[in-house]
Amino acid sequence: MPSGMFLYLLRRLLIVPPTLFVIMFITFALTRIAPGDPVRLISGSRQPDPEVAQNIRDSFGLNGGFFEQFGNYFWGVVSEGDLGPSYQFRSPQLSVQDL
C-alpha cells in the first residue's frame, strides 16, 4: 500500500498541469485586455496603413479570435516551448525565450 507521502506527492503533481493552464490563460487574457493595440506598438504609428497592419497581424499571428490565438499560443508552449514573438522588439523572428 502506498505511503501517505507518496499520495501527497502524486496529488501535487496532478494539480500542476491544470494550474499552469489557468495561469497561462489568465496571463494571456490580461495581455489582450490591456489597453493598446499590439499592431500600433509594433508599427510605431498611431494609425498604421491598413496593408502594413495586416502584414503585422499575419507575421505575429494576431489574426483570429481570442480563443484561436490562445490555442495557438498554448500549443506552441506545450509542443515546442515557444513563448511567441516579442512585440517590444518588433520582430517576429526574435522570440521571448531568445531574450
Side-chain angles (χ1 to χ4, degrees), residues 5-70:
M5 184 58 113
F6 176 75
L7 289 175
Y8 174 78
L9 288 174
L10 182 63
R11 278 196 312 260
R12 292 295 177 190
L13 288 174
L14 291 175
I15 290 174
V16 168
T19 303
L20 289 176
F21 178 81
V22 169
I23 290 170
M24 286 176 63
F25 184 80
I26 290 171
T27 304
F28 187 84
L30 288 174
T31 59
R32 295 299 183 249
I33 293 171
D37 184 13
V39 173
R40 288 182 182 172
L41 174 70
I42 295 165
S43 70
S45 172
R46 206 154 200 206
Q47 293 294 330
D49 182 48
E51 186 175 317
V52 172
Q54 188 59 40
N55 287 339
I56 290 172
R57 289 186 198 288
D58 292 338
S59 298
F60 283 85
L62 297 172
N63 293 328
F66 173 80
F67 291 107
E68 182 181 348
Q69 288 180 25
F70 176 72

Side-chain angles (χ1 to χ4, degrees), residues 20 23-25 27-28 31-32 60-62 69-88 91-99:
L20 289 176
I23 290 170
M24 286 176 63
F25 184 80
T27 304
F28 187 84
T31 59
R32 295 299 183 249
F60 283 85
L62 297 172
Q69 288 180 25
F70 176 72
N72 292 337
Y73 170 70
F74 181 76
W75 183 250
V77 170
V78 171
S79 66
E80 302 169 13
D82 181 17
L83 298 173
S86 170
Y87 301 148
Q88 184 69 31
S91 173
Q93 290 80 27
L94 187 60
S95 65
V96 172
Q97 64 266 27
D98 292 339
L99 298 174

